[in-house]
Amino acid sequence: SSSNRTGSPLTFTLTNIPVVPASSWWVALPLCCLYLLMLLGNCCLLCTIRGEHVLHSPMYHFLSLLALADLGLSLCTLPTVLATFCLPATLLPFQACLAQMYLIHTFSTIESGVLVAMALDRFVAICHPLRYGSVLSSALVVRAGVLIVLRGVLLVLPVTILMARMPFCRSHVLSHSFCLHQDMLRLACGDTRPSSWYGLSAVLLTTGLDLLAILLSYVLIIRAIVATVPAAARAKASSTCISHLCAILIFYIPLIGLSVIHRFGQHLPPLTPTLLADVYLLVPPVLNPLVYSWKTKQIRRRILLLLCRRGSQQQA
């Protein structure tokens, strides 16, 4: 019966991977290690960019914002993901689920905007290197960061308000160990068309336009690289884009796959969307610091210096 009719608090039941039984400590342990790696990697990245003056440039300011978005995305899912593997049954109140849904989609939208800003940064650096400092001024970078955050905060707000007014009279069992918009929407028994259409429009206006902007930037970047005659200059220009391209693929491939599966993949086994959602929310925050540390000499050197200092302090 409907929770609205009985007057009992509305709660959702979170689920983990279908083939994994409840209270699976052997799965929770590697997940904890991944979350610790994510925290360590992103915090080291932020400390390195702050402490290394040579990294105080627009590209690394955007990278700091990307690390903050990764931290927010992971931390808002950490409690429920670990709880589904450590407890026999994980119940989440509707208000908490709604807040988690809002945070997940907000941080995802912010991360998508940051990737666009980083693509435009690479375009200016490679195609117009002499104008880089004048085009990407500190004031412009600050304004771009504020607009990226405001876009994520405001764009997800209407869909959250629409979801808060939805009646739920079906099963309250979600498909994931966290709350996503499409997953909650399939359990509603009212008119879901406004929320569904707004969610689809928001995805097209963010992910769709962001991808087009990134593709256009890299088409122009590739043209500029091909036109660069010296092989050394061509290799240097290409290496500056590899880490960013890896971050784009790591983020967008699971995101697009999850959106398509939730809308058109009802015939697929339950394991498919569950694994894809876990990859989408956990893998990019873990891999992004590793990718940028591997490709950036200053970041790699600074992290090694911090680790050496910590090791010498422990020996002392």
Side-chain angles (χ1 to χ4, degrees), residues 203-217:
V203 169
L204 292 176
L205 289 173
T206 54
T207 306
L209 292 180
D210 289 353
L211 269 176
L212 285 176
I214 291 172
L215 287 174
L216 178 61
S217 298

Side-chain angles (χ1 to χ4, degrees), residues 57 59-60 63 115 117-127 129 132 217-218 221-222 224-225 228 231-248 291-292 294-299:
S57 64
M59 177 65 178
Y60 295 102
L63 182 55
L115 291 174
M118 293 172 76
L120 295 176
D121 173 272
R122 292 300 86 201
F123 164 72
V124 176
I126 293 173
C127 299
Y132 182 80
S217 298
Y218 272 92
I221 288 171
I222 291 170
I225 291 175
T228 305
R234 189 180 305 169
K236 183 178 179 181
S238 301
S239 65
T240 60
C241 300
I242 290 176
S243 54
H244 186 232
L245 282 172
C246 291
I248 291 170
V291 169
Y292 281 102
W294 171 59
K295 289 301 297 178
T296 308
K297 181 176 66 176
Q298 291 89 348
I299 294 178

Side-chain angles (χ1 to χ4, degrees), residues 99-246:
Q100 188 183 52
M101 182 203 77
Y102 174 76
L103 290 174
I104 288 174
H105 292 292
T106 297
F107 283 120
S108 296
T109 306
I110 291 173
E111 185 159 348
S112 182
V114 174
L115 291 174
V116 174
M118 293 172 76
L120 295 176
D121 173 272
R122 292 300 86 201
F123 164 72
V124 176
I126 293 173
C127 299
H128 305 283
L130 298 179
R131 299 174 56 192
Y132 182 80
S134 59
V135 173
L136 292 176
S137 61
S138 299
L140 180 63
V141 171
V142 171
R143 286 198 295 268
V146 171
L147 286 175
I148 288 169
V149 173
L150 283 178
R151 185 187 74 156
V153 169
L154 297 178
L155 196 68
V156 186
L157 193 58
V159 79
T160 308
I161 295 172
L162 289 171
M163 185 65 70
R165 298 178 178 178
M166 284 285 179
F168 292 87
C169 52
R170 300 176 188 169
S171 168
H172 298 158
V173 180
L174 295 173
S175 304
H176 306 291
S177 52
F178 37 79
C179 302
L180 296 176
H181 173 246
Q182 282 296 319
D183 198 21
M184 294 177 66
L185 198 62
R186 68 180 179 83
L187 303 180
C189 58
D191 185 7
T192 61
R193 286 175 297 176
S195 183
S196 181
W197 279 108
Y198 180 84
L200 180 60
S201 302
V203 169
L204 292 176
L205 289 173
T206 54
T207 306
L209 292 180
D210 289 353
L211 269 176
L212 285 176
I214 291 172
L215 287 174
L216 178 61
S217 298
Y218 272 92
V219 167
L220 298 174
I221 288 171
I222 291 170
R223 286 181 57 187
I225 291 175
V226 171
T228 305
V229 179
R234 189 180 305 169
K236 183 178 179 181
S238 301
S239 65
T240 60
C241 300
I242 290 176
S243 54
H244 186 232
L245 282 172
C246 291

Side-chain angles (χ1 to χ4, degrees), residues 15-35 78 81-87 177 274-275 278 282:
T15 57
N16 56 19
I17 301 173
V19 295
V20 177
S23 301
S24 303
W25 290 92
W26 56 275
V27 178
L29 185 59
L31 277 176
C32 286
C33 294
L34 281 177
Y35 274 110
L78 171 64
V81 170
L82 293 181
T84 54
F85 289 102
C86 298
L87 302 175
S177 52
T274 302
L275 289 179
D278 291 337
L282 187 57

